[in-house]
Amino acid sequence: MSQVTVTLTVNGQTQTITTDAHKTLLYLLRDDLGLYGTKDGCSEGECGACTVLMDGRPVNACLVLAGQAQGRTIITIEGLAGDGELHPLQRAFIRSGAVQCGFCTPGLVLSAVALLERQPDPTEAQIRQALTGNLCRCTGYTQIIAAIQAAAREVDHA
Ligand code: FES
Ligand code: FES
């Protein structure tokens, strides 16, 4: 089986990994790096459970080949908390009751992080638009939107 060697930065750590050339970034993260917070819901770009930030932009890791991550900076859900403190969006998801089974949560949180980076005070319509690629089968989205609004207020007043 052909192999590819990729150097990338994941959650602040630059690493060089040799892996199967056909492997996706999703399975490079899960199998090669043990970062199981990035989920596989559909493997075909429909559900957003595999969302990570690549150079600051949300991408479906199931649609990115490992080789395409060469030289890129990746943030997964494991990379959000710092100094033992959850990210404001993680705290807001917990406080707002925005998590039920949790399978969609890492992807939703990372999409929301990217949204608040580019639009610190989003309208509800902007939040809904930013989440169109992230499906949740449990919550009905109301608490997720409330969580993102709460986090935006917290960051705004920090
Ligand atoms: S697992 Fe990637 S979009 Fe569903
Ligand atoms: S909380 Fe279960 S899929 Fe969203």
Side-chain angles (χ1 to χ4, degrees), residues 93 98 104 108 127 131 136 139 141-149:
F93 266 63
C104 67
L108 275 160
I127 295 172
L131 303 185
C136 175
T139 64
Y141 299 97
T142 303
Q143 300 313 112
I144 291 168
I145 291 162
I148 295 169
Q149 289 169 326

Side-chain angles (χ1 to χ4, degrees), residues 98-105 108 135-139:
V99 181
Q100 288 189 28
C101 81
F103 198 81
C104 67
T105 308
L108 275 160
L135 303 183
C136 175
R137 64 185 177 181
C138 303
T139 64

Side-chain angles (χ1 to χ4, degrees), residues 75-87 90:
I75 303 287
T76 72
I77 194 69
E78 291 90 346
L80 276 193
D83 296 331
E85 289 269 325
L86 291 178
H87 186 281
Q90 292 174 305

Side-chain angles (χ1 to χ4, degrees), residues 3 9-10 13 18 21 23 26 32 39 42 46 53-54 59 63 74 90-91 94 100 124 143 151-152 155:
Q3 303 266 292
T9 302
V10 180
Q13 267 197 305
T18 298
K23 190 178 283 186
L26 171 58
D32 295 276
K39 305 300 185 196
C42 70
E46 295 292 338
L53 301 183
M54 186 156 84
V59 297
L63 297 183
I74 308 294
Q90 292 174 305
R91 286 201 300 273
I94 294 167
Q100 288 189 28
E124 181 175 335
Q143 300 313 112
V155 169

Side-chain angles (χ1 to χ4, degrees), residues 26-27 39-51 59-63 103 133:
L26 171 58
Y27 278 94
K39 305 300 185 196
D40 184 357
C42 70
S43 291
E44 56 185 30
E46 295 292 338
C47 73
C50 65
T51 302
V59 297
N60 291 329
C62 70
L63 297 183
F103 198 81

Side-chain angles (χ1 to χ4, degrees), residues 105-128:
T105 308
L108 275 160
V109 168
L110 288 164
S111 288
V113 167
L115 169 66
L116 295 189
E117 288 278 319
R118 64 179 188 274
Q119 174 52 267
D121 187 20
T123 63
E124 181 175 335
Q126 287 170 324
I127 295 172
R128 286 185 180 275

